[in-house]
């Protein structure tokens, strides 16, 4: 088991049946999925700990990203169009090793920003509509 550089990591969005890289990606995080649980203490239990049990539900979570923003770049214009006309899109996170992580998500936020002495940037956040398909562990060895 070794360390893997993040260089070469790509976020892709499906546009007209083709996965297109989201250009100028700075960072990519998630999905931040979470197994749901519930507190299950009882009045007759011994001890004062609060027990937890799984509910069987999993929150698909969000994917967050940051890009160098180029308002005339076609793929960045497509992301802005997702805000104007909200929709579920297919996405992939591709890492330097292994197979892509695939998911469907709604682009909930895309926030361009400018600062003195900085390049234009935009941060985005997507809400997954279901669980991501993770690469098989066997494929990464």
């Amino acid at each position: 088991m070794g360390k893997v550089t993040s260089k070469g990591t790509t976020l892709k969005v499906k546009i007209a049946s083709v996965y297109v890289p989201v250009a100028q990606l700075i960072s990519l995080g998630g999905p931040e999925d979470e197994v749901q649980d519930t507190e299950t203490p009882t009045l007759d239990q011994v001890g004062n700990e609060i027990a937890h049990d799984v509910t069987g539900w999993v929150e698909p979570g969000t994917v967050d990203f940051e890009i160098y923003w180029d308002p005339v770049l076609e793929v960045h214009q497509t992301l802005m169009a997702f805000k104007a006309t909200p929709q579920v899109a297919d996405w992939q996170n591709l890492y330097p090793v292994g197979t892509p992580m695939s998911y469907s998500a709604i682009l909930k936020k895309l926030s361009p920003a400018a600062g003195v002495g900085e390049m234009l940037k935009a941060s985005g956040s997507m809400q997954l509509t279901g669980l991501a398909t993770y690469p098989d562990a066997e494929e990464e060895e």
Side-chain angles (χ1 to χ4, degrees):
M1 180 163 97
K3 296 176 182 73
V4 177
T5 180
S6 59
K7 183 178 180 181
T9 297
T10 307
L11 172 64
K12 290 187 174 184
V13 59
K14 194 173 195 179
I15 301 171
S17 76
V18 177
Y19 280 98
V20 177
V22 175
Q24 305 182 148
L25 185 66
I26 300 168
S27 65
L28 178 63
E32 293 184 10
D33 48 8
E34 181 178 342
V35 173
Q36 299 294 302
D37 68 331
T38 186
E39 294 179 0
T40 56
T42 62
L43 294 174
D44 61 348
Q45 75 183 32
V46 177
N48 61 357
E49 72 275 356
I50 297 176
H52 287 257
D53 283 315
V54 296
T55 64
W57 298 99
V58 179
E59 166 63 46
T62 59
V63 169
D64 297 315
F65 64 92
E66 186 175 30
I67 56 177
Y68 285 114
W69 178 247
D70 184 345
V72 298
L73 197 60
E74 188 173 344
V75 70
H76 292 184
Q77 290 176 351
T78 299
L79 296 181
M80 287 303 284
F82 285 169
K83 284 179 55 172
T85 308
Q87 58 189 280
V88 175
D90 293 328
W91 301 80
Q92 290 182 330
N93 294 1
L94 286 87
Y95 301 101
V97 297
T99 57
M101 178 187 306
S102 300
Y103 51 93
S104 295
I106 302 162
L107 181 64
K108 293 196 63 150
K109 295 179 185 176
L110 185 65
S111 304
V116 173
E118 296 182 1
M119 307 303 284
L120 290 176
K121 293 181 182 178
S123 57
S125 183
M126 298 177 277
Q127 173 65 55
L128 276 66
T129 59
L131 293 177
T133 302
Y134 289 93
D136 291 334
E138 295 173 3
E139 294 179 26
E140 296 178 13
E141 294 182 20

